Amino acid sequence: MHPCVFLIFSLLLFCLETTTADQLAAVGGGDDKCFEKEKNALLHFKSLLQDPYDRLSTWTAEQDNCCQWSRVTCNNQTGHVTELEIVSCGLVGEISHSLVNLTYLNLLDLSANSFHGTIPAIIGSLTQLRSIGSLTELKYLDLSSNSLYGTIPPELGNLTNLQVLYLFEVGRCRVENLEWLSPLSHLEELAMDRISLAKTNHWVDVILSLPKLWLLSLSGCELSQVMYPYSSSFLNSSSSSIEVLYLRNNNLTSSMYRWLFPLTSNNLWILSLSGNMLDGIPKYLGNLCSLERFYFYNNSGVIKFPDFLNNLSGCTSLSLQRLYASGSQFTGSLPDDIQKFTSLTDLYLSENQLKGTISKKLWELPNLKYLDLSENSLQEFPSSDYMSNRSHIESIQLSSCKLGPHFPKWIQKLKNLTNLEIANNGFSDTIPLEFWDSWPSRLTFLNLSSNNISGKIPDLSSNFYNNSVIDLSFNSFDGPITNVSSTVALLNLSRNKFSGGITFLCQVVHGFLVILDLSHNFLTGQLPDCLWHFKELQVLNLEHNNLSGRLPASLGSMIKLEALDLYKNDFSEEFPLSVKNCTSLKSLNLGANKFSGNLPVWIGESLSGLYVLMLRSNNFSGSIPLQLCQLASLQILDLSVNHFHGSIPLCLSNLTIMVQQGFSQLQNLDRGVSLGTYSYNIDHVMIQWQGTEREFIRSNMVLLRSIDLSSNSLTGEIPYQITNLDQLIALNLSKNALLGKIPWKIGQMKNLLTLDLSRNKFSGEIPSSMSQMTWLNYLDVSDNSLSGRIPSSTQLQTFDPSRYEGNLGLCGPPLTKKCHGDEESGIQHSIGESEGEGIDELQGWFYVGGAIGFIVGFCIACGALLVNRRGRFAFFMFLDSFEDWVYVKVVVFIANLQKRRT
């Protein structure tokens, strides 16, 4: 190069560098600051949001360099914002249009928050002047798991560099067509689960036009409603690049296989067709030579399993490693054709209708490790000699398979087992001692529950690996509980015949234990004071035993304890002070013991998360502390059968969950603790329900809100504030010394199913507002000093007269005592008429009105649920758990009509 040319070039380069540096300083780039425009865009984005957990606390105008803000990534050389990852931050609000000013952004992840509003179309806008904004560099966009609504903006198709687009479960969104996807030639991953695609004709054509797409997830997209999913030109060949395809929960029938064909090729290695209505599979699925995982669970069509295997028996049988097909409608047996699937490692066929014999070829599969045949009617399991060489199997689940009555000794031959579940098989046998020594330090899961196995349990300290699960509940094991491995996370020995003490707990020293259930046995002695190391324990259930003494101080070291159940033992002395430190408690049941003394005020202050407080049948005394009213989540309060005196606290109306309507408080319900695939439900309580003791668990606790202060020495009047608890289901104040009048507005407690005010000193009339309590199916006001006419209603006249006895001044139906002036005024005559001809007319109008109301309400509800998928899911979950209550109400209503007719 000529020296002059080199000199001129060097000067120009120097000037260019100087000018660039000056420009960077002017706009705010460089080491000390980020670009002013990008900083302002982020601040505006934050200004529209609620940030309850302060995850964006570093985003302030005072902090000049936005590249140092949390969840913001910049390019080290240019200083431009390139990545914004704001995942699971609990943010609430709308997505600001200012994000379009982050023109160098290549990753935007806003998933798992509570963003609402619509997806800004401007995110995908393109302009000729880059300086005023577009996201042309964006390669990764994730708006999943939010609460957005409206149409997915087709402007997203302008993001031509996009490689990953995640829009699954964004909210109540829909798509009119998918043509906007066509320009995204770089797109590799697309997930749009739970977005309605019902109107997207020819969507298969669009998907096939994306040359690099390898992951497609369209679960729950209402694909069965698409009129024309494809055009005929695409049906004759399969050149798709898709490797992973999820089409779960679309109500698809076997007619879908015509358009599925072009989406499948030898690139496919994961296929999910679960949760549909398929009654078979086509033979072309047996020619997918790379398919390794096939998900076919929860299909409602009836399929012969031998036919299913036959259609998969092409080259797919050599590649398939995992077949998940539980909860479908498979019939027939496990045939010899299973031997063709030599690569199979996981076979899950539980909850089907398989019958007959199991082919021995199943056990000969060389790679089979995980087998689940639970809840079928299969027979002829192998002999011990045959299983001697099948040590490759690691997990067997055969619950509810009718293996009994003898315990299967062949299982001991599987020396590599880590998971064994053979619950509910009708075993009426003892277990050979060598069984317990078959898998030293290997087992992580052992479930023998719900059988009738007897005998003693040997030392269990050496068989189990870290965080293991042992469930021997619902059997007839007896004798003492000896040593248990310190590696166990869940130990459920409930409902057996174990006896002796529980000092073995002092040998469990490593603190893995999360759940300990020894309930319903014959255990005696004291709870040992060696609980200091149970830092992880969440559930301690010792109910229905003969344990005694005071609770140890070390109980307070279990800071993660959520449920403590000591019901029906002989524990004594004062309310255990050590419980004060168990601040995570949600359910506390000390009922049916011999505790005494006053209730401490710190219950309401330290145990603020309680939703169950059961102290019935003890010797507690003193007044009910006002601090109990601070338990805003309290759902069940039972202080019955004690020696409490004084008045009922006025502040009980502060029990928020008994006032709030709707589903806002249901997050506390159906609570459980999960360890792997094993789930243990915390919800369990025995309460007095309409005169008898009843067990409430899981689903029938969903709407249970109960207060029981019966069988004490309470005095004074019922505070009128208690009538504000309009979500209360059961109220029992019987067997006290309460006086005065029944609150006149008690009728506004319209959700009450049971009300017991018997054996008190109430006077005056029964409030007429009680005629509005149409849900009421149990009422007892006997043995008081009430007077006047029993109000007329569809409910109050249906109760047995004994529920009103002991009130000399009461009159009118259902009592035989007539009220003054009944005969003169003709009231008795009109009552008789209503029980005859009038009742038919009343019922007629009831059925007409009910039918009209049902039709209108049904249409409105269904219309809303069709639009709102998230609401639809919540509705059916609620419907499941509401079943018990609805059943009771229907039975009561029919019984009432029959009584009135007779």
Side-chain angles (χ1 to χ4, degrees):
M1 181 182 293
H2 193 281
C4 293
V5 175
F6 176 78
L7 180 61
I8 293 171
F9 180 78
S10 300
L11 288 172
L12 288 172
L13 183 60
F14 174 77
C15 292
L16 181 61
E17 290 176 345
T18 304
T19 303
T20 303
D22 291 342
Q23 289 175 341
L24 284 173
V27 297
D31 295 333
D32 298 326
K33 297 181 180 180
C34 63
F35 288 84
E36 195 69 21
K37 183 174 75 170
E38 297 180 358
K39 174 184 175 181
N40 290 335
L42 293 173
L43 289 175
H44 188 268
F45 170 79
K46 178 185 176 182
S47 69
L48 300 181
L49 303 175
Q50 300 174 36
D51 183 12
Y53 304 110
D54 289 330
R55 300 295 169 80
L56 305 183
S57 59
T58 59
W59 293 30
T60 63
E62 293 75 22
Q63 170 59 269
D64 288 336
N65 191 357
C66 65
C67 294
Q68 296 179 356
W69 293 357
S70 63
R71 305 178 186 274
V72 177
T73 302
C74 296
N75 184 290
N76 290 334
Q77 296 178 338
T78 66
H80 285 292
V81 176
T82 56
E83 297 183 5
L84 199 56
E85 287 189 272
I86 309 178
V87 182
S88 301
C89 290
L91 301 178
V92 181
E94 296 190 1
I95 301 174
S96 170
H97 290 196
S98 67
L99 291 181
V100 77
N101 291 324
L102 304 177
T103 54
Y104 290 85
L105 199 65
N106 57 54
L107 185 150
L108 176 59
D109 192 344
L110 305 179
S111 61
N113 285 286
S114 296
F115 290 110
H116 55 74
T118 59
I119 300 175
I122 198 170
I123 285 181
S125 68
L126 284 172
T127 63
Q128 292 182 349
L129 297 176
R130 177 171 180 162
S131 61
I132 66 172
S134 64
L135 299 181
T136 55
E137 299 295 324
L138 200 63
K139 297 179 181 178
Y140 184 107
L141 176 60
D142 189 347
L143 302 177
S144 304
S145 302
N146 280 292
S147 302
L148 301 164
Y149 64 88
T151 303
I152 300 295
E155 287 82 0
L156 294 182
N158 296 328
L159 303 174
T160 53
N161 286 314
L162 208 60
Q163 297 176 6
V164 176
L165 178 58
Y166 287 159
L167 299 175
F168 56 86
E169 298 189 30
V170 293
R172 294 175 288 116
C173 291
R174 62 187 183 280
V175 173
E176 300 296 337
N177 66 71
L178 284 179
E179 293 295 333
W180 54 270
L181 282 173
S182 298
L184 304 182
S185 59
H186 298 285
L187 196 63
E188 299 177 3
E189 302 175 37
L190 174 62
M192 302 180 68
D193 305 53
R194 303 235 178 150
I195 292 177
S196 175
L197 302 182
K199 297 182 179 180
T200 56
N201 289 327
H202 297 168
W203 66 268
V204 175
D205 307 34
V206 175
I207 295 301
L208 291 172
S209 71
L210 303 174
K212 296 185 178 181
L213 190 69
W214 69 269
L215 184 150
L216 177 63
S217 186
L218 299 179
S219 298
C221 292
E222 301 179 340
L223 296 180
S224 62
Q225 300 182 32
V226 179
M227 295 286 292
Y228 306 104
Y230 56 87
S231 61
S232 57
S233 59
F234 284 94
L235 290 184
N236 297 324
S237 64
S238 177
S239 58
S240 170
S241 60
I242 296 175
E243 299 176 21
V244 178
L245 179 59
Y246 291 99
L247 299 174
R248 298 187 302 259
N249 303 328
N250 277 294
N251 291 324
L252 297 170
T253 62
S254 292
S255 62
M256 60 88 68
Y257 289 124
R258 182 167 175 79
W259 56 256
L260 179 65
F261 175 72
L263 295 175
T264 59
S265 71
N266 280 332
N267 294 313
L268 194 68
W269 67 280
I270 295 181
L271 174 62
S272 177
L273 302 179
S274 300
N276 287 294
M277 304 167 65
L278 303 172
D279 58 3
I281 57 171
K283 279 188 172 293
Y284 71 72
L285 290 185
N287 298 321
L288 303 177
C289 301
S290 297
L291 190 66
E292 295 181 5
R293 302 181 190 179
F294 188 19
Y295 297 89
F296 201 78
Y297 55 82
N298 294 344
N299 268 288
S300 58
V302 177
I303 306 174
K304 293 181 179 179
F305 189 64
D307 294 344
F308 180 86
L309 284 184
N310 183 58
N311 285 357
L312 282 179
S313 61
C315 63
T316 301
S317 64
L318 302 177
S319 64
L320 192 64
Q321 297 177 12
R322 302 180 184 181
L323 175 59
Y324 299 94
S326 298
S328 289
Q329 300 291 318
F330 285 129
T331 61
S333 62
L334 263 171
D336 287 350
D337 276 356
I338 196 70
Q339 67 183 324
K340 299 178 181 178
F341 295 81
T342 54
S343 297
L344 206 61
T345 61
D346 300 35
L347 179 60
Y348 288 81
L349 297 174
S350 64
E351 299 180 62
N352 278 285
Q353 300 176 27
L354 298 174
K355 297 180 180 180
T357 60
I358 300 176
S359 170
K360 286 187 176 182
K361 304 296 183 181
L362 172 69
W363 308 103
E364 297 175 3
L365 292 175
N367 296 298
L368 187 65
K369 292 184 178 181
Y370 305 97
L371 176 64
D372 187 356
L373 302 178
S374 300
E375 299 187 47
N376 284 287
S377 298
L378 296 166
Q379 301 171 356
E380 292 192 21
F381 287 84
S383 65
S384 297
D385 293 337
Y386 183 80
M387 296 301 289
S388 296
N389 297 320
R390 316 300 170 196
S391 60
H392 52 279
I393 298 177
E394 297 180 11
S395 174
I396 284 188
Q397 295 171 263
L398 299 174
S399 293
S400 304
C401 279
K402 301 179 182 178
L403 297 181
H406 300 297
F407 193 81
K409 296 180 180 180
W410 57 266
I411 289 176
Q412 296 169 226
K413 301 296 183 178
L414 304 175
K415 296 301 181 181
N416 286 321
L417 270 188
T418 61
N419 184 320
L420 176 59
E421 183 172 356
I422 48 176
N424 192 31
N425 271 290
F427 298 134
S428 298
D429 200 356
T430 58
I431 297 179
L433 284 177
E434 58 269 21
F435 170 86
W436 302 103
D437 299 321
S438 298
W439 307 280
S441 300
R442 283 195 58 84
L443 283 181
T444 59
F445 190 97
L446 176 64
N447 186 354
L448 308 180
S449 65
S450 302
N451 286 289
N452 191 28
I453 304 172
S454 57
K456 293 177 172 53
I457 299 294
D459 190 313
L460 300 180
S461 59
S462 61
N463 280 20
F464 298 91
Y465 194 62
N466 290 346
N467 294 304
S468 51
V469 171
I470 303 176
D471 188 350
L472 307 181
S473 61
F474 290 88
N475 278 288
S476 298
F477 291 113
D478 57 19
I481 303 172
T482 56
N483 201 6
V484 174
S485 173
S486 293
T487 63
V488 173
L490 181 146
L491 180 61
N492 188 351
L493 305 181
S494 64
R495 298 181 187 270
N496 280 283
K497 300 176 181 179
F498 290 113
S499 58
I502 54 176
T503 55
F504 74 93
L505 291 177
C506 298
Q507 302 170 24
V508 185
V509 296
H510 293 308
F512 286 107
L513 202 60
V514 176
I515 297 171
L516 176 61
D517 190 344
L518 305 177
S519 62
H520 294 269
N521 280 289
F522 302 103
L523 300 171
T524 57
Q526 295 186 339
L527 184 59
D529 195 7
C530 59
L531 306 177
W532 308 102
H533 47 274
F534 289 122
K535 303 294 185 183
E536 301 299 320
L537 197 68
Q538 296 180 34
V539 178
L540 177 58
N541 190 347
L542 302 175
E543 71 171 354
H544 287 272
N545 280 289
N546 298 310
L547 299 168
S548 59
R550 70 179 305 162
L551 298 184
S554 58
L555 184 67
S557 64
M558 298 188 291
I559 56 176
K560 293 187 178 181
L561 196 65
E562 296 185 15
L564 176 60
D565 194 340
L566 306 180
Y567 185 70
K568 277 202 175 179
N569 280 282
D570 287 310
F571 291 112
S572 59
E573 302 199 29
E574 294 187 348
F575 194 95
L577 179 62
S578 55
V579 174
K580 182 177 182 180
N581 297 324
C582 302
T583 54
S584 297
L585 269 178
K586 297 177 181 177
S587 177
L588 177 60
N589 189 346
L590 305 182
N593 280 282
K594 297 177 181 177
F595 291 109
S596 59
N598 295 340
L599 285 190
V601 298
W602 51 257
I603 295 180
E605 299 166 347
S606 299
L607 309 181
S608 58
L610 280 180
Y611 61 80
V612 172
L613 179 58
M614 293 279 296
L615 304 178
R616 65 188 298 257
S617 298
N618 277 286
N619 296 315
F620 290 116
S621 58
S623 59
I624 300 174
L626 300 179
Q627 286 75 9
L628 288 186
C629 300
Q630 298 177 27
L631 301 173
S633 298
L634 197 62
Q635 186 178 324
I636 298 172
L637 174 63
D638 192 344
L639 306 181
S640 62
V641 197
N642 279 285
H643 305 294
F644 291 112
H645 58 75
S647 58
I648 299 174
L650 306 180
C651 61
L652 283 183
S653 59
N654 295 340
L655 300 178
T656 309
I657 199 172
M658 299 189 186
V659 178
Q660 291 185 347
Q661 297 184 14
F663 299 95
S664 60
Q665 296 294 326
L666 295 188
Q667 66 268 22
N668 280 336
L669 302 171
D670 200 20
R671 290 145 291 227
V673 178
S674 295
L675 294 169
T677 58
Y678 187 95
S679 181
Y680 181 95
N681 273 278
I682 295 176
D683 285 335
H684 158 83
V685 69
M686 300 288 296
I687 71 170
Q688 284 293 123
W689 180 260
Q690 301 185 353
T692 59
E693 190 174 65
R694 177 178 171 184
E695 183 178 27
F696 283 80
I697 56 174
R698 281 188 274 184
S699 60
N700 57 9
M701 275 187 69
V702 170
L703 293 178
L704 180 61
R705 294 166 173 85
S706 171
I707 294 178
D708 191 345
L709 306 179
S710 63
S711 300
N712 281 287
S713 300
L714 298 174
T715 56
E717 298 184 354
I718 300 177
Y720 71 87
Q721 291 89 343
I722 206 169
T723 62
N724 294 329
L725 302 177
D726 54 8
Q727 298 303 302
L728 196 64
I729 303 299
L731 177 62
N732 191 346
L733 303 178
S734 66
K735 300 177 185 177
N736 279 288
L738 298 170
L739 46 75
K741 295 183 178 181
I742 300 173
W744 199 249
K745 293 185 178 180
I746 196 170
Q748 69 187 23
M749 303 175 73
K750 295 182 180 179
N751 286 299
L752 272 182
L753 294 179
T754 175
L755 175 62
D756 194 342
L757 304 177
S758 63
R759 301 189 188 184
N760 280 285
K761 300 178 181 179
F762 294 120
S763 58
E765 297 182 350
I766 296 177
S768 60
S769 64
M770 289 184 64
S771 62
Q772 305 170 21
M773 302 171 74
T774 53
W775 286 98
L776 197 65
N777 61 31
Y778 182 91
L779 172 68
D780 194 344
V781 294
S782 61
D783 297 307
N784 282 285
S785 299
L786 298 171
S787 59
R789 182 189 302 277
I790 297 173
S792 298
S793 75
T794 58
Q795 294 291 98
L796 298 184
Q797 275 67 49
T798 64
F799 297 118
D800 191 273
S802 63
R803 305 285 180 82
Y804 299 98
E805 288 178 353
N807 295 281
L808 297 179
L810 279 183
C811 60
L815 298 177
T816 56
K817 180 180 179 181
K818 299 176 182 177
C819 296
H820 180 70
D822 276 357
E823 293 182 354
E824 292 82 353
S825 61
I827 293 176
Q828 188 68 30
H829 174 73
S830 59
I831 290 176
E833 181 183 351
S834 70
E835 291 177 350
E837 299 176 359
I839 188 66
D840 291 331
E841 182 180 357
L842 176 64
Q843 287 182 6
W845 282 108
F846 172 82
Y847 289 125
V848 171
I852 295 173
F854 174 82
I855 293 170
V856 174
F858 182 83
C859 293
I860 294 173
C862 286
L865 292 176
L866 286 172
V867 174
N868 187 344
R869 291 190 316 280
R870 192 177 293 270
R872 183 166 64 245
F873 177 76
F875 172 76
F876 287 112
M877 289 293 289
F878 163 75
L879 199 61
D880 239 4
S881 38
F882 199 48
E883 182 180 349
D884 288 346
W885 192 18
V886 171
Y887 173 77
V888 170
K889 296 313 300 175
V890 170
V891 171
V892 170
F893 176 74
I894 292 174
N896 289 342
L897 281 180
Q898 290 175 342
K899 286 182 182 177
R900 296 178 64 185
R901 297 195 70 149
T902 57

